[in-house]
Amino acid sequence: MQVEVFIHTVSFYTHYHLTFDSIAKDGGARNPKTNLRAKLKEIFGESLIDNRDAFIEKIKQSTDSFVQVIKEEGTAVDSWRAPTGRNPSDVSRMANGKLRQVVRLELTDPRVRKWYTCLTPLIHLFVEGGQPIESDDPRWEMYVTLEGEGPDIIVTGFCTVYRFFRYPDSTRLRIAQILVLPPYQGQGYGHRLLETINRIAVERDCYDITFEDPSDSLQELRDCMDVQRLLQFPPAVSALSLSIARLRRMAGGGGETATTSGLDPKSNTFTKGKKRNSDVDTDDNILVPPASVVEEARKAFKITKVQVKRCWESLLFLQLASSETGVVESFRELLIKRLHAGIFSNKDEAVGHGKHIIDTKNDYNINKTFMMMRTPQKETNGHDSKKIGDVLDASDEEKKLQALQELLEERENELQAVANKVSARCKKLGIAVKVKDLVNQA
């Protein structure tokens, strides 16, 4: 049996076609025949149309309707032309390409909400763990990427964004879902969506932009974009220069310390309280950007504090030269120490404790708004205050070694992937990535 599913790239109405050689007998209660239509209906809902002629007629009408909605309710917030041909020096590559746009839509319009319901099956199919949003909440907005013009328009991707209120007088944008449809991935749509939302957050002077459970690929794209921004941010460049100088002094015995209560990078064994070059531990904050840089980056680019700290490791990693083995080793030791402390330190905060949710009244649905508060928790000797370090038995050296080694490899792979992509893009744009060149540019 073969099942073909057709999805219209504007309305997202769906039609299916079955071909089979024979019909199997019903196996009774133990092995009943599968009702394929019912299964497809569970996935695609009201967007599923059985009759082929009805499907064709429906998509003709829906294209005109969607173009009308875009004209009446949409706001074009970005536009560019798709490159044509393969010769980068050909100036006509962009001028003659198809029009591409990012259009902003408010879900307060019932036509937009109805259209969004046809998109929800794609969220289930292509966004891991994705769930439909409550589209009747007026704080939701959508950013849709389009290609073509008029009746030839197609939808290539979309992003849903929620406007959270942040006390006392600001707004935090939360990216809930972002999907570029499979045929159009790798063409820059995701990058353009994030760039557009970031620019709008800056224009609105939002507090920052957060992501709801980003996938690995989305997090990597986010890291690459933010690292590139920070490479062109003078306060970050100045602080990065000082941190690299400290890292080199630490590697060369200039008074800095690499304390690694964890995995020894040379022997893959655990050490306890091993110190190099001095008895004073002053290296902990090399992997952490100065608080002033974190705050300035948040104000300038709307990057969260956690994300700035994550990108700082990538910025440092970009500066490492393979010939400087001592510096590379020192960076790796600091990374091991940070990962070790994040898992096994007894000073970590209790997981999931201290948060309280309080429902608040609103003008449209009392069940859909809330206030989250965090209160400090007292130390207890019981089993209620579970620590991050309790995930593994801290006395089990073999488990600790394995867990830490896996985390280290995962983080180093992430750093390498971001470094490769940022380096390639910066080279293409003529942006320096090394501290010496960055300081000279600044």
Side-chain angles (χ1 to χ4, degrees):
M1 181 178 67
Q2 181 175 335
V3 183
E4 293 179 291
V5 179
F6 304 89
I7 303 176
H8 186 221
T9 55
V10 174
S11 66
F12 294 93
Y13 285 118
T14 306
H15 174 64
Y16 68 94
H17 178 65
L18 303 179
T19 55
F20 48 86
D21 297 327
S22 61
I23 300 177
K25 294 181 179 180
D26 194 328
R30 291 186 177 182
N31 189 24
K33 288 195 298 186
T34 300
N35 186 336
L36 190 57
R37 185 193 181 280
K39 292 294 182 182
L40 291 172
K41 194 71 175 177
E42 287 179 13
I43 298 173
F44 295 102
E46 297 303 318
S47 65
L48 186 68
I49 301 175
D50 296 317
N51 184 274
R52 183 176 182 274
D53 293 335
F55 172 68
I56 293 173
E57 184 61 31
K58 191 76 172 178
I59 63 178
K60 288 180 180 178
Q61 298 172 2
S62 62
T63 299
D64 294 337
S65 176
F66 182 73
V67 171
Q68 190 68 22
V69 170
I70 292 296
K71 288 181 179 179
E72 295 178 0
E73 301 297 330
T75 302
V77 289
D78 192 14
S79 64
W80 69 103
R81 293 278 177 178
T84 60
R86 296 185 177 181
N87 183 5
S89 62
D90 186 357
V91 294
S92 65
R93 291 176 77 239
M94 302 301 292
N96 298 330
K98 288 185 178 180
L99 177 66
R100 291 176 173 177
Q101 300 179 81
V102 178
V103 174
R104 179 180 173 274
L105 293 168
E106 288 277 2
L107 272 80
T108 50
D109 186 279
R111 295 174 297 174
V112 178
R113 290 201 300 271
K114 183 179 180 180
W115 178 73
Y116 173 77
T117 60
C118 294
L119 285 174
T120 54
L122 300 179
I123 296 169
H124 291 300
L125 289 172
F126 298 117
V127 180
E128 185 177 353
Q131 295 294 327
I133 63 174
E134 295 176 335
S135 57
D136 56 340
D137 187 330
R139 284 184 170 269
W140 282 108
E141 57 189 0
M142 287 188 70
Y143 294 84
V144 183
T145 54
L146 307 173
E147 183 173 284
E149 301 174 73
D152 297 325
I153 198 171
I154 58 173
V155 178
T156 59
F158 67 92
C159 180
T160 54
V161 179
Y162 193 77
R163 301 186 298 269
F164 273 102
F165 168 72
R166 186 186 184 281
Y167 182 84
D169 56 0
S170 187
T171 301
R172 166 176 279 141
L173 296 188
R174 166 68 68 89
I175 295 177
Q177 303 157 341
I178 181 168
L179 173 63
V180 177
L181 301 179
Y184 311 103
Q185 292 176 2
Q187 300 180 34
Y189 283 109
H191 189 281
R192 208 79 184 213
L193 272 171
L194 295 186
E195 283 283 11
T196 300
I197 295 168
N198 184 266
R199 174 172 52 79
I200 287 174
V202 172
E203 292 172 354
R204 294 177 182 174
D205 196 21
C206 296
Y207 185 80
D208 59 18
I209 302 172
T210 62
F211 286 66
E212 184 175 314
D213 194 20
S215 64
D216 292 342
S217 58
L218 178 57
Q219 183 61 53
E220 183 179 289
L221 174 60
R222 180 188 183 192
D223 289 348
C224 290
M225 295 174 68
D226 289 340
V227 167
Q228 185 178 322
R229 291 188 182 104
L230 293 172
L231 282 172
Q232 298 172 276
F233 190 49
V237 172
S238 298
L240 181 63
S241 178
L242 294 175
S243 292
I244 287 296
R246 291 186 59 202
L247 192 61
R248 289 197 171 109
R249 287 200 302 271
M250 184 180 79
E256 300 286 353
T257 296
T259 304
T260 57
S261 180
L263 181 68
D264 188 313
K266 289 183 177 179
S267 61
N268 277 348
T269 58
F270 277 90
T271 61
K272 187 173 183 180
K274 172 188 172 185
K275 288 184 179 286
R276 290 176 26 180
N277 304 327
S278 103
D279 293 328
V280 182
D281 188 6
T282 59
D283 65 281
D284 285 2
N285 58 356
I286 291 181
L287 293 190
V288 180
S292 59
V293 172
V294 173
E295 182 62 14
E296 289 180 69
R298 182 197 62 77
K299 290 179 179 179
F301 306 115
K302 310 308 175 186
I303 308 174
T304 65
K305 295 179 180 180
V306 172
Q307 177 67 4
V308 175
K309 293 177 180 179
R310 176 184 172 88
C311 290
W312 192 253
E313 290 182 1
S314 291
L315 288 166
L316 290 170
F317 187 82
L318 273 168
Q319 309 307 313
L320 303 181
S322 57
S323 58
E324 295 181 293
T325 55
V327 179
V328 173
E329 180 184 322
S330 296
F331 175 82
R332 195 165 187 259
E333 287 182 4
L334 294 178
L335 190 58
I336 291 168
K337 183 179 179 183
R338 197 267 296 168
L339 293 171
H340 183 275
I343 304 176
F344 302 109
S345 174
N346 293 325
K347 297 180 181 180
D348 287 321
E349 293 182 357
V351 178
H353 288 256
K355 288 184 179 179
H356 301 279
I357 305 257
I358 302 173
D359 290 332
T360 57
K361 294 182 178 181
N362 58 80
D363 296 332
Y364 57 95
N365 190 323
I366 196 170
N367 296 320
K368 290 186 178 178
T369 56
F370 61 87
M371 179 184 297
M372 180 181 290
M373 302 177 65
R374 186 191 296 273
T375 55
Q377 298 295 295
K378 294 181 179 180
E379 292 293 331
T380 66
N381 295 323
H383 298 287
D384 293 334
S385 59
K386 184 173 179 63
K387 305 289 187 181
I388 295 174
D390 294 334
V391 175
L392 293 175
D393 183 355
S395 65
D396 190 332
E397 295 296 309
E398 185 177 349
K399 287 184 179 179
K400 288 173 64 177
L401 176 61
Q402 181 180 355
L404 191 56
Q405 184 66 45
E406 290 175 358
L407 281 175
L408 178 62
E409 290 177 0
E410 179 182 343
R411 184 58 180 143
E412 286 183 324
N413 288 337
E414 290 173 347
L415 292 170
Q416 189 63 63
V418 171
N420 291 342
K421 292 187 176 182
V422 170
S423 297
R425 183 167 178 80
C426 286
K427 183 177 180 181
K428 184 178 179 180
L429 298 175
I431 300 171
V433 297
K434 296 299 182 182
V435 162
K436 180 180 178 181
D437 299 325
L438 288 169
V439 171
N440 289 337
Q441 285 186 353

